[in-house]
Amino acid sequence: MKNHALTQWRERREPSYGAWLNLPDLYTTECIARLGFDWVCIDLQHGLIDYSHLLALVPALSGTKPTVLVRVTSNDAGQIGRVLDAGVHGVIVPMVNTPTEAASAVSACRYPPQGTRSCGPMRDSMLEGFEYLATANSQIACVAMIETREGLANVKAIAATPGLDGLFIGPMDLCYGLGVAPGSFDDPAFIEAVEQIKQACVDAGIAAGMFGYNAALSRAALADGFQFSSIGSDANFLRDGAQRAFDTARGLDEAKTAKAQPSY
Ligand code: 3PY
Ligand code: MG
């Protein structure tokens, strides 16, 4: 197994574009899978998706370009094992606050001796046989989210966790953690925190990622040295596209109606 997104992040040659999947819908998932994104992330934490939906979405993504990641609901080794066994190639773990928590996430992703993942890769072994076991430890991506004040305070040590592949910023929770109004992405405290997280990734030699509420935020992050960013979600692509079409049909000025607020 070769993880396309992880290879991009490691080589740092090009920005890695992701799409966020919040909807438990096969058709929208198949559409997004064919647009050329480098990775998609199925969101079990805030998306309207549960494990049984995921079991249908992953086969719909098989054989398409994007690397399939899952944001798990929490740093739970049991859930991490189950999503990996369902055939996804990495996890994004929310609210990682300490190096111990980061080490626990990594351990859940790696077979012994590097970790404690239990062996039963149902879907991957069906597709790849035992070959999967030889490559899984180096090809499964483990990403920790930094989105609290405690996580930020510990960011250097978290980034240095052996086996961790990247840090991913949750901008809205980070605003809450910093005590600035949600969505204040130009607040100096937020900008300083983002810089600190990016620098911790550079120092540790791992990838820096940013949840992008829209394509402009994502573009700014990628231009600013981040390796990967989600540029939007299925839900907001649908909503924004419908809004734009409706506005255009009514002859409204797009600039006036463009959404200023981030949306999920
Ligand atoms: C955040 O903004 O905190 C996120 O986790 C995005 O889903
Ligand atoms: Mg968050």
Side-chain angles (χ1 to χ4, degrees), residues 111-202:
Y111 292 121
Q114 284 100 325
T116 51
R117 180 178 172 192
S118 172
C119 190
M122 289 289 294
R123 199 149 187 290
D124 285 298
S125 63
M126 183 261 289
L127 292 173
E128 294 181 42
F130 264 45
E131 188 56 32
Y132 173 80
L133 298 178
T135 53
N137 277 4
S138 68
Q139 294 301 311
I140 292 294
C142 182
V143 175
M145 289 190 74
I146 302 295
E147 46 183 355
T148 64
R149 191 177 278 279
E150 189 185 6
L152 182 64
N154 291 323
V155 70
K156 255 184 145 358
I158 292 172
T161 304
L164 192 68
D165 296 298
L167 298 182
F168 192 63
I169 297 181
M172 211 60 99
D173 280 315
L174 187 59
C175 284
Y176 278 109
L178 295 170
V180 303
S184 319
F185 304 144
D186 50 7
D187 189 291
F190 182 84
I191 293 170
E192 164 61 27
V194 167
E195 200 48 43
Q196 231 179 296
I197 295 166
K198 193 177 69 185
Q199 192 55 50
C201 289
V202 171

Coordinates of all heavy atoms in Angstrom, one line a residue, residues 111-202:
Y111 N 1.1 -1.3 14.2 CA 1.2 -2.7 14.7 C 2.5 -2.8 15.5 O 3.4 -2.0 15.3 CB 1.3 -3.7 13.5 CG 0.0 -3.8 12.7 CD1 0.0 -3.5 11.4 CD2 -1.2 -4.2 13.4 CE1 -1.2 -3.7 10.6 CE2 -2.4 -4.4 12.6 CZ -2.4 -4.1 11.3 OH -3.5 -4.2 10.6
P112 N 2.6 -3.8 16.5 CA 3.8 -4.0 17.2 C 5.0 -4.3 16.3 O 4.8 -4.8 15.2 CB 3.5 -5.2 18.1 CG 2.0 -5.2 18.2 CD 1.5 -4.7 16.9
P113 N 6.2 -3.9 16.6 CA 6.5 -3.3 18.0 C 6.4 -1.8 18.0 O 6.5 -1.3 19.1 CB 8.0 -3.7 18.1 CG 8.5 -3.7 16.7 CD 7.4 -4.2 15.8
Q114 N 6.0 -1.1 16.9 CA 5.9 0.3 17.0 C 4.7 0.8 17.8 O 4.6 1.9 18.2 CB 5.9 1.0 15.6 CG 7.3 1.0 14.9 CD 7.4 -0.1 14.0 OE1 6.9 -1.2 14.2 NE2 8.1 0.1 12.9
G115 N 3.7 -0.1 17.9 CA 2.4 0.3 18.5 C 1.6 -0.8 19.0 O 2.2 -1.9 19.2
T116 N 0.4 -0.6 19.2 CA -0.5 -1.6 19.8 C -1.7 -1.9 19.0 O -2.7 -2.5 19.5 CB -0.9 -1.1 21.2 OG1 -1.5 0.2 21.0 CG2 0.2 -1.0 22.2
R117 N -1.7 -1.6 17.7 CA -2.9 -1.9 16.9 C -3.1 -3.4 16.8 O -2.1 -4.1 16.6 CB -2.6 -1.3 15.5 CG -3.8 -1.6 14.5 CD -3.6 -1.0 13.1 NE -4.7 -1.4 12.3 CZ -4.7 -1.3 10.9 NH1 -3.7 -0.6 10.3 NH2 -5.7 -1.7 10.2
S118 N -4.3 -3.8 16.9 CA -4.6 -5.2 16.9 C -4.8 -5.6 15.4 O -5.3 -4.8 14.6 CB -5.8 -5.5 17.7 OG -6.3 -6.8 17.5
C119 N -4.4 -6.8 15.0 CA -4.5 -7.2 13.6 C -5.8 -7.8 13.2 O -6.3 -8.8 13.7 CB -3.3 -8.2 13.4 SG -3.1 -8.5 11.6
G120 N -6.4 -7.2 12.2 CA -7.6 -7.6 11.6 C -8.1 -6.7 10.5 O -9.2 -6.2 10.5
P121 N -7.2 -6.4 9.5 CA -7.5 -5.4 8.5 C -8.4 -5.9 7.4 O -8.0 -6.2 6.3 CB -6.1 -5.1 7.9 CG -5.3 -6.4 8.0 CD -5.9 -7.1 9.3
M122 N -9.7 -6.0 7.8 CA -10.7 -6.6 7.0 C -10.7 -6.2 5.5 O -10.6 -7.1 4.6 CB -12.1 -6.3 7.5 CG -12.5 -6.9 8.8 SD -12.7 -8.7 8.6 CE -14.2 -8.8 7.6
R123 N -10.8 -4.9 5.3 CA -10.9 -4.5 3.9 C -9.6 -4.5 3.2 O -9.5 -4.9 2.0 CB -11.6 -3.2 3.9 CG -12.2 -2.9 2.6 CD -13.4 -2.0 2.5 NE -13.9 -2.0 1.2 CZ -13.2 -1.4 0.2 NH1 -12.2 -0.7 0.4 NH2 -13.6 -1.5 -1.1
D124 N -8.6 -4.0 3.9 CA -7.3 -3.9 3.2 C -6.7 -5.3 2.9 O -6.1 -5.5 1.8 CB -6.3 -3.2 4.1 CG -6.6 -1.7 4.1 OD1 -6.5 -1.1 3.0 OD2 -6.9 -1.2 5.1
S125 N -7.0 -6.3 3.7 CA -6.4 -7.6 3.4 C -7.2 -8.3 2.3 O -6.7 -9.0 1.5 CB -6.4 -8.5 4.6 OG -7.7 -8.8 5.1
M126 N -8.5 -7.9 2.1 CA -9.3 -8.4 1.0 C -8.7 -7.8 -0.3 O -8.6 -8.5 -1.3 CB -10.8 -7.9 1.2 CG -11.7 -8.4 0.2 SD -12.1 -7.1 -1.0 CE -13.0 -5.9 -0.1
L127 N -8.3 -6.5 -0.3 CA -7.8 -5.9 -1.5 C -6.3 -6.2 -1.8 O -5.9 -6.3 -2.9 CB -7.9 -4.4 -1.4 CG -9.3 -3.8 -1.4 CD1 -9.3 -2.3 -1.2 CD2 -10.0 -4.1 -2.8
E128 N -5.5 -6.3 -0.7 CA -4.1 -6.4 -0.9 C -3.4 -7.7 -0.3 O -2.2 -7.9 -0.4 CB -3.4 -5.2 -0.2 CG -3.7 -3.9 -0.8 CD -3.0 -2.8 0.0 OE1 -1.8 -3.0 0.3 OE2 -3.6 -1.8 0.2
G129 N -4.2 -8.5 0.4 CA -3.7 -9.6 1.1 C -2.7 -9.3 2.2 O -2.7 -8.1 2.7
F130 N -1.7 -10.2 2.5 CA -0.8 -10.0 3.6 C 0.2 -8.8 3.3 O 0.9 -8.3 4.2 CB -0.1 -11.3 3.9 CG -0.7 -12.0 5.0 CD1 -2.1 -12.1 5.1 CD2 0.0 -12.5 6.1 CE1 -2.7 -12.8 6.1 CE2 -0.6 -13.2 7.1 CZ -2.0 -13.3 7.1
E131 N 0.3 -8.4 2.0 CA 1.2 -7.3 1.7 C 0.9 -6.1 2.5 O 1.8 -5.3 2.9 CB 0.9 -7.0 0.2 CG 1.8 -6.0 -0.5 CD 3.3 -6.4 -0.3 OE1 3.6 -7.7 -0.3 OE2 4.1 -5.5 -0.2
Y132 N -0.4 -5.9 2.8 CA -0.8 -4.7 3.6 C 0.0 -4.7 4.9 O 0.4 -3.6 5.4 CB -2.3 -4.8 3.9 CG -2.8 -3.7 4.8 CD1 -3.0 -2.4 4.4 CD2 -3.0 -4.0 6.2 CE1 -3.5 -1.4 5.3 CE2 -3.5 -3.0 7.1 CZ -3.7 -1.8 6.6 OH -4.1 -0.8 7.5
L133 N 0.1 -5.9 5.6 CA 0.7 -5.9 6.9 C 2.2 -5.4 6.8 O 2.7 -4.8 7.8 CB 0.7 -7.3 7.5 CG -0.8 -7.8 7.7 CD1 -0.8 -9.2 8.3 CD2 -1.6 -6.8 8.6
A134 N 2.9 -5.6 5.7 CA 4.3 -5.2 5.6 C 4.4 -3.7 5.5 O 5.5 -3.2 5.8 CB 4.9 -5.9 4.4
T135 N 3.4 -3.0 5.0 CA 3.5 -1.6 4.7 C 2.7 -0.7 5.6 O 2.9 0.5 5.6 CB 3.1 -1.3 3.2 OG1 1.8 -1.8 3.0 CG2 4.0 -1.9 2.2
A136 N 1.8 -1.3 6.3 CA 0.8 -0.4 7.1 C 1.5 0.5 8.0 O 1.1 1.7 8.1 CB -0.2 -1.3 7.8
N137 N 2.5 0.1 8.8 CA 3.1 1.0 9.8 C 3.7 2.2 9.2 O 3.7 3.3 9.8 CB 4.1 0.2 10.6 CG 3.5 -0.5 11.8 OD1 2.2 -0.6 11.9 ND2 4.3 -1.1 12.6
S138 N 4.2 2.1 8.0 CA 4.9 3.3 7.4 C 3.9 4.1 6.5 O 4.2 5.2 6.1 CB 6.1 2.9 6.5 OG 5.7 2.2 5.4
Q139 N 2.7 3.5 6.1 CA 1.9 4.1 5.2 C 0.5 4.6 5.7 O -0.3 5.2 5.0 CB 1.6 3.2 4.0 CG 2.8 2.9 3.2 CD 3.5 4.2 2.6 OE1 2.8 5.0 2.0 NE2 4.8 4.3 2.8
I140 N 0.3 4.3 7.0 CA -1.0 4.8 7.6 C -0.6 6.2 8.2 O 0.3 6.3 9.0 CB -1.5 3.9 8.7 CG1 -2.0 2.5 8.1 CG2 -2.6 4.5 9.6 CD1 -3.2 2.6 7.3
A141 N -1.4 7.2 7.9 CA -1.1 8.5 8.4 C -1.8 8.7 9.7 O -3.0 8.4 9.9 CB -1.7 9.6 7.4
C142 N -1.0 9.3 10.7 CA -1.6 9.6 12.0 C -1.4 11.1 12.2 O -0.2 11.6 12.3 CB -0.9 8.8 13.1 SG -1.6 9.2 14.7
V143 N -2.5 11.9 12.3 CA -2.4 13.3 12.4 C -3.1 13.8 13.7 O -4.2 13.3 14.0 CB -3.1 14.0 11.2 CG1 -3.2 15.5 11.3 CG2 -2.4 13.6 9.9
A144 N -2.5 14.6 14.4 CA -3.1 15.2 15.7 C -3.6 16.6 15.5 O -2.9 17.4 14.9 CB -2.0 15.1 16.8
M145 N -4.8 16.9 16.0 CA -5.3 18.2 15.9 C -4.9 19.1 17.1 O -4.9 18.6 18.2 CB -6.8 18.2 15.8 CG -7.3 17.7 14.4 SD -9.1 18.0 14.2 CE -9.1 19.7 13.8
I146 N -4.4 20.3 16.7 CA -4.1 21.2 17.8 C -5.2 22.3 17.8 O -5.3 23.0 16.8 CB -2.7 21.9 17.6 CG1 -1.6 20.8 17.5 CG2 -2.4 22.9 18.6 CD1 -1.3 20.0 18.7
E147 N -6.0 22.3 18.8 CA -7.1 23.2 18.8 C -7.6 23.7 20.2 O -8.7 24.1 20.4 CB -8.3 22.6 18.0 CG -8.6 21.2 18.3 CD -9.7 20.6 17.4 OE1 -10.3 21.3 16.7 OE2 -9.9 19.4 17.6
T148 N -6.6 23.6 21.1 CA -6.9 24.1 22.5 C -5.7 24.8 23.0 O -4.6 24.7 22.4 CB -7.1 22.9 23.5 OG1 -5.9 22.2 23.6 CG2 -8.2 21.9 23.0
R149 N -5.9 25.6 24.1 CA -4.8 26.3 24.7 C -3.7 25.3 25.2 O -2.5 25.6 25.1 CB -5.3 27.2 25.8 CG -4.3 28.2 26.4 CD -4.9 29.0 27.4 NE -5.6 30.2 26.9 CZ -5.1 31.3 26.5 NH1 -3.8 31.5 26.4 NH2 -5.9 32.3 26.0
E150 N -4.2 24.2 25.8 CA -3.2 23.2 26.3 C -2.4 22.6 25.2 O -1.2 22.4 25.3 CB -4.0 22.1 27.1 CG -3.1 21.2 27.9 CD -3.8 20.1 28.6 OE1 -5.0 19.9 28.4 OE2 -3.1 19.3 29.3
G151 N -3.1 22.2 24.1 CA -2.4 21.7 23.0 C -1.4 22.6 22.4 O -0.3 22.2 22.1
L152 N -1.7 23.9 22.4 CA -0.8 24.9 21.9 C 0.4 25.0 22.8 O 1.6 25.1 22.3 CB -1.5 26.3 21.8 CG -0.7 27.4 21.2 CD1 -0.3 27.1 19.8 CD2 -1.5 28.7 21.3
A153 N 0.2 25.0 24.1 CA 1.3 25.1 25.1 C 2.2 23.9 24.9 O 3.4 24.1 25.1 CB 0.7 25.2 26.5
N154 N 1.7 22.8 24.5 CA 2.5 21.6 24.4 C 2.9 21.2 23.0 O 3.4 20.1 22.7 CB 1.8 20.4 25.0 CG 1.6 20.5 26.5 OD1 2.5 20.9 27.2 ND2 0.4 20.0 27.0
V155 N 2.7 22.2 22.1 CA 2.8 21.9 20.7 C 4.2 21.3 20.2 O 4.3 20.4 19.4 CB 2.3 23.0 19.8 CG1 3.3 24.2 19.8 CG2 2.1 22.6 18.3
K156 N 5.2 21.8 20.8 CA 6.6 21.4 20.4 C 6.7 19.9 20.7 O 7.2 19.1 19.9 CB 7.7 22.2 21.1 CG 8.3 23.2 20.2 CD 9.4 23.9 21.0 CE 10.6 24.3 20.2 NZ 10.8 24.0 18.8
A157 N 6.4 19.6 22.0 CA 6.5 18.2 22.4 C 5.6 17.2 21.7 O 5.9 16.1 21.3 CB 6.3 18.1 23.9
I158 N 4.4 17.7 21.4 CA 3.4 16.9 20.6 C 4.0 16.6 19.2 O 4.0 15.5 18.7 CB 2.0 17.6 20.5 CG1 1.4 17.6 21.9 CG2 1.1 16.9 19.5 CD1 0.1 18.4 22.0
A159 N 4.5 17.7 18.6 CA 5.0 17.5 17.2 C 6.2 16.5 17.2 O 6.4 15.9 16.2 CB 5.5 18.9 16.7
A160 N 6.9 16.4 18.3 CA 8.1 15.6 18.3 C 7.8 14.1 18.6 O 8.7 13.3 18.7 CB 9.1 16.1 19.4
T161 N 6.5 13.8 18.8 CA 6.1 12.4 19.1 C 6.5 11.5 18.0 O 6.2 11.6 16.8 CB 4.5 12.3 19.2 OG1 4.1 13.3 20.2 CG2 4.1 11.0 19.6
P162 N 7.3 10.4 18.3 CA 7.8 9.5 17.3 C 6.6 8.9 16.6 O 5.6 8.4 17.2 CB 8.6 8.5 18.0 CG 9.0 9.2 19.3 CD 7.9 10.1 19.6
G163 N 6.7 8.9 15.2 CA 5.6 8.2 14.4 C 4.5 9.1 14.0 O 3.6 8.7 13.2
L164 N 4.4 10.3 14.6 CA 3.3 11.2 14.2 C 3.7 11.8 12.9 O 4.8 12.2 12.6 CB 3.2 12.3 15.3 CG 1.9 13.2 15.2 CD1 0.7 12.4 15.5 CD2 2.0 14.4 16.1
D165 N 2.7 11.9 12.0 CA 2.9 12.4 10.6 C 2.6 13.9 10.4 O 3.1 14.5 9.5 CB 2.1 11.6 9.6 CG 2.5 10.1 9.6 OD1 3.7 9.9 9.3 OD2 1.7 9.2 10.0
G166 N 1.7 14.4 11.3 CA 1.4 15.8 11.0 C 0.5 16.4 12.1 O 0.0 15.7 13.0
L167 N 0.5 17.7 12.1 CA -0.5 18.4 13.0 C -1.5 19.1 12.1 O -1.2 19.6 11.0 CB 0.3 19.5 13.9 CG 1.3 19.0 14.8 CD1 1.9 20.2 15.6 CD2 0.8 17.9 15.8
F168 N -2.7 19.2 12.6 CA -3.8 19.8 11.8 C -4.5 20.8 12.7 O -4.9 20.5 13.8 CB -4.7 18.7 11.4 CG -5.8 19.1 10.3 CD1 -5.4 19.5 9.1 CD2 -7.1 19.0 10.6 CE1 -6.3 19.8 8.1 CE2 -8.1 19.3 9.6 CZ -7.6 19.7 8.4
I169 N -4.7 22.0 12.2 CA -5.3 23.1 13.0 C -6.8 23.1 12.9 O -7.3 23.1 11.7 CB -4.7 24.5 12.7 CG1 -3.2 24.5 13.0 CG2 -5.5 25.6 13.4 CD1 -2.6 25.9 12.7
G170 N -7.5 23.0 14.0 CA -9.0 23.3 14.0 C -9.2 24.7 14.3 O -9.2 25.1 15.5
P171 N -9.4 25.6 13.3 CA -9.3 27.0 13.6 C -10.4 27.5 14.6 O -10.1 28.4 15.4 CB -9.5 27.7 12.2 CG -9.3 26.6 11.2 CD -9.6 25.3 11.9
M172 N -11.6 26.9 14.5 CA -12.7 27.5 15.3 C -12.5 27.1 16.8 O -12.6 27.9 17.7 CB -14.0 26.9 14.8 CG -15.1 27.9 15.0 SD -14.9 29.4 14.2 CE -15.8 29.2 12.7
D173 N -12.1 25.8 17.1 CA -11.9 25.4 18.4 C -10.6 26.2 19.0 O -10.6 26.5 20.2 CB -11.7 23.9 18.6 CG -13.0 23.2 18.6 OD1 -13.9 23.7 19.3 OD2 -13.2 22.2 17.9
L174 N -9.7 26.4 18.1 CA -8.5 27.1 18.5 C -8.9 28.6 19.0 O -8.3 29.1 20.0 CB -7.4 27.2 17.4 CG -6.1 27.8 17.8 CD1 -5.4 27.0 19.0 CD2 -5.1 27.7 16.6
C175 N -9.8 29.2 18.2 CA -10.3 30.5 18.6 C -10.9 30.5 20.1 O -10.5 31.3 20.9 CB -11.3 31.1 17.7 SG -10.7 31.7 16.1
Y176 N -11.7 29.5 20.3 CA -12.3 29.3 21.6 C -11.2 29.1 22.7 O -11.2 29.7 23.7 CB -13.2 28.1 21.7 CG -14.6 28.4 21.1 CD1 -15.1 27.9 19.9 CD2 -15.5 29.2 21.8 CE1 -16.3 28.1 19.4 CE2 -16.8 29.5 21.4 CZ -17.2 29.0 20.2 OH -18.4 29.2 19.7
G177 N -10.2 28.3 22.3 CA -9.1 28.0 23.3 C -8.3 29.2 23.6 O -7.9 29.4 24.7
L178 N -8.2 30.1 22.6 CA -7.4 31.3 22.8 C -8.2 32.4 23.5 O -7.7 33.5 23.8 CB -6.8 31.8 21.5 CG -5.9 30.9 20.8 CD1 -5.6 31.4 19.4 CD2 -4.6 30.8 21.6
G179 N -9.5 32.2 23.6 CA -10.4 33.2 24.1 C -10.7 34.4 23.2 O -11.0 35.5 23.7
V180 N -10.6 34.1 21.9 CA -10.9 35.2 20.9 C -12.3 34.7 20.3 O -12.6 33.5 20.3 CB -9.8 35.4 19.9 CG1 -8.5 35.8 20.5 CG2 -9.6 34.2 18.9
A181 N -13.0 35.7 19.7 CA -14.3 35.3 19.1 C -14.1 34.3 18.0 O -13.2 34.4 17.2 CB -15.0 36.6 18.6
P182 N -15.0 33.3 18.0 CA -14.9 32.3 16.9 C -14.9 32.9 15.5 O -15.7 33.8 15.3 CB -16.2 31.4 17.1 CG -17.0 32.1 18.2 CD -16.2 33.1 18.9
G183 N -14.0 32.5 14.7 CA -13.9 33.1 13.4 C -12.9 34.3 13.3 O -12.8 34.8 12.2
S184 N -12.3 34.7 14.4 CA -11.4 35.8 14.3 C -10.0 35.4 13.8 O -9.0 35.4 14.5 CB -11.1 36.4 15.7 OG -12.3 36.5 16.4
F185 N -10.0 35.0 12.5 CA -8.8 34.4 12.0 C -7.7 35.5 11.7 O -6.6 35.2 11.4 CB -9.1 33.6 10.7 CG -10.1 32.5 11.0 CD1 -11.0 32.2 10.0 CD2 -10.1 31.8 12.2 CE1 -11.9 31.1 10.2 CE2 -11.0 30.8 12.4 CZ -11.9 30.5 11.4
D186 N -8.1 36.8 11.9 CA -7.0 37.8 11.7 C -6.7 38.4 13.1 O -5.9 39.4 13.1 CB -7.4 38.9 10.7 CG -8.8 39.4 10.9 OD1 -9.4 39.0 12.0 OD2 -9.3 40.2 10.1
D187 N -7.1 37.8 14.1 CA -6.7 38.3 15.5 C -5.2 38.0 15.7 O -4.8 36.9 15.3 CB -7.6 37.6 16.5 CG -7.3 38.1 17.9 OD1 -6.2 37.9 18.5 OD2 -8.3 38.8 18.4
P188 N -4.4 38.9 16.2 CA -3.0 38.6 16.4 C -2.7 37.4 17.2 O -1.7 36.7 16.9 CB -2.5 39.9 17.1 CG -3.5 41.0 16.8 CD -4.8 40.3 16.5
A189 N -3.5 37.1 18.2 CA -3.3 35.9 19.0 C -3.5 34.6 18.2 O -2.7 33.7 18.3 CB -4.3 35.9 20.2
F190 N -4.5 34.7 17.3 CA -4.7 33.5 16.4 C -3.5 33.3 15.4 O -3.0 32.2 15.2 CB -6.0 33.7 15.7 CG -6.4 32.5 14.8 CD1 -7.0 31.4 15.3 CD2 -6.0 32.5 13.4 CE1 -7.2 30.2 14.5 CE2 -6.3 31.4 12.6 CZ -6.9 30.3 13.2
I191 N -3.1 34.5 14.8 CA -2.0 34.4 13.8 C -0.8 33.9 14.5 O 0.0 33.1 13.9 CB -1.8 35.8 13.2 CG1 -3.1 36.1 12.4 CG2 -0.6 35.9 12.4 CD1 -3.2 37.6 11.9
E192 N -0.5 34.4 15.7 CA 0.7 33.9 16.4 C 0.6 32.4 16.8 O 1.6 31.7 16.6 CB 0.8 34.8 17.7 CG 1.7 34.3 18.8 CD 3.2 34.2 18.4 OE1 3.6 35.0 17.5 OE2 3.9 33.4 19.0
A193 N -0.6 32.0 17.1 CA -0.7 30.5 17.5 C -0.5 29.7 16.2 O 0.2 28.6 16.3 CB -2.1 30.3 18.0
V194 N -1.0 30.1 15.1 CA -0.8 29.4 13.8 C 0.7 29.3 13.5 O 1.2 28.2 13.1 CB -1.6 30.1 12.7 CG1 -1.2 29.5 11.3 CG2 -3.1 29.9 12.9
E195 N 1.3 30.4 13.7 CA 2.8 30.4 13.4 C 3.5 29.5 14.3 O 4.4 28.7 13.8 CB 3.3 31.9 13.6 CG 4.5 32.3 13.0 CD 4.6 31.9 11.5 OE1 3.6 32.1 10.8 OE2 5.7 31.4 11.1
Q196 N 3.2 29.4 15.5 CA 3.8 28.5 16.5 C 3.6 27.1 16.1 O 4.5 26.3 16.2 CB 3.2 28.8 17.9 CG 4.1 29.0 19.0 CD 3.3 29.2 20.3 OE1 2.5 30.2 20.4 NE2 3.4 28.3 21.2
I197 N 2.4 26.8 15.7 CA 2.1 25.4 15.3 C 2.9 25.0 14.0 O 3.5 23.9 13.9 CB 0.6 25.2 15.1 CG1 -0.1 25.4 16.4 CG2 0.2 23.8 14.5 CD1 -1.6 25.6 16.4
K198 N 2.9 25.9 13.1 CA 3.6 25.6 11.8 C 5.1 25.4 12.1 O 5.8 24.5 11.6 CB 3.5 26.8 10.9 CG 3.9 26.5 9.5 CD 3.6 27.7 8.6 CE 4.5 28.9 8.9 NZ 4.2 30.1 8.1
Q199 N 5.7 26.3 13.0 CA 7.1 26.2 13.3 C 7.4 24.9 14.0 O 8.4 24.2 13.8 CB 7.5 27.4 14.2 CG 9.0 27.5 14.4 CD 9.8 27.6 13.0 OE1 9.4 28.4 12.1 NE2 10.8 26.8 12.8
A200 N 6.5 24.4 14.9 CA 6.7 23.1 15.6 C 6.8 22.0 14.6 O 7.6 21.1 14.8 CB 5.6 22.9 16.6
C201 N 6.0 22.1 13.5 CA 6.0 21.1 12.5 C 7.3 21.1 11.7 O 7.9 20.1 11.5 CB 4.8 21.3 11.5 SG 3.2 20.9 12.2
V202 N 7.8 22.3 11.4 CA 9.0 22.5 10.7 C 10.1 21.9 11.5 O 11.0 21.0 11.1 CB 9.3 23.9 10.4 CG1 10.7 24.1 9.8 CG2 8.3 24.5 9.4

